[in-house]
Amino acid sequence: MYRDEVKNIMNTFEILPEQKFGQNFLCDEKIIDSIIECSGIHEGSTVLEIGPGIGALTSRIQEITSDYTCVEIDKRLASFLRENVIKENVKIIDSDFLDLQYDEYKRDKRYDYIISNIPYYVMTPIMKKLIIDNFDCKRMTFMVEEAAVNRIIASPGNKNYGPLAVLCSNFGIVNKEFNVPSDAFIPRPHTLSSVITIDNSVNIVNKFVNDSQLYLQFVDACFSQRRKKLSNSLSSFLSSGKLGKPVTTGDLADLLSSMNIPSDVRSEALTPEDFHLIFLNLLV
Ligand code: SAM
């Protein structure tokens, strides 16, 4: 979609971008080409898009595959898309993605590819939910604020390291693809954006897909008190019975010792693989 085309759509259909929904519409054809190219989407793929807006990516993706679902929070935009953009087979759900259960947006097979020019104000919860619900997806492609990339790729010990980096790394390999200048959008955002992809590392897929919601709660609990020892941060989660049985901090200490991890470790020192292994062992 070229700049004039986007302006024309916005004028004709009286679409005023809603700041509260993080609406910045892509208007640079070359950037759109590059995003579609690195998304991996091909004929016959099953695709999920969060936040189609006025359809910059949507109108392209539907030319490649019809096995395609979009979720848009803004009802005005969802009706605009239904009436003017999307083809018959494309499914559009007008809802806040964060309110949807997986059953409400799934198709009859897994999503191969997920794509979103993510509204910045809800980047973290949207990415966490996408990963937790779709551990079997092949690749996720996101446009995020450039400054947020550090939180996605942070390693243990880094001040930005937290649940989002752990989940992304558990899911797969994060690549920063390219930066996007603010003039690629109407209206212009205040910051630079970056496109990232996360490729699934298949070895982890089946391991906790059944308990993925619980895994998210576990990782969040581990980072609930960053300055404290893991055993302190986790104590109420362990005693809550969420793991199916009460787990004492003594049990946790034994497990950490069997993994050669000091019992006074803090979450920020554990690798994403450590979190996954600790969780699996606590579940047994
Ligand atoms: N994909 C379009 C593009 O690239 O031009 C629009 C991107 S715009 C940055 C973000 C879009 O996400 C908006 O259309 C906004 O209404 C939608 N959105 C914001 N929060 C959402 C949520 N919680 N669930 C679903 N869509 C959301």
Side-chain angles (χ1 to χ4, degrees), residues 21-26 49 51-53 72-73 96-97 117 119 121:
F21 293 143
Q23 290 174 356
N24 301 95
F25 303 124
L26 264 172
E49 183 186 3
E72 173 55 60
I73 195 171
D96 182 337
F97 175 64
N117 173 3
Y121 74 110

Side-chain angles (χ1 to χ4, degrees), residues 163-198:
L164 182 61
V166 170
L167 286 179
C168 288
S169 181
N170 285 152
F171 176 77
I173 296 159
V174 183
N175 283 306
K176 182 173 167 184
E177 302 285 351
F178 53 90
N179 284 339
V180 180
S182 4
D183 63 8
F185 303 89
I186 297 177
R188 284 169 172 230
H190 296 299
T191 59
L192 267 187
S193 304
S194 298
V195 172
I196 59 158
T197 52
I198 318 180

Side-chain angles (χ1 to χ4, degrees), residues 258-283:
S258 73
M259 294 171 67
N260 292 321
I261 297 174
S263 60
D264 61 352
V265 71
R266 290 181 187 175
S267 290
E268 60 195 13
L270 293 170
T271 65
E273 295 73 29
D274 289 335
F275 284 105
H276 183 221
L277 274 179
I278 294 170
F279 176 72
L280 287 183
N281 280 290
L282 288 174
L283 269 183

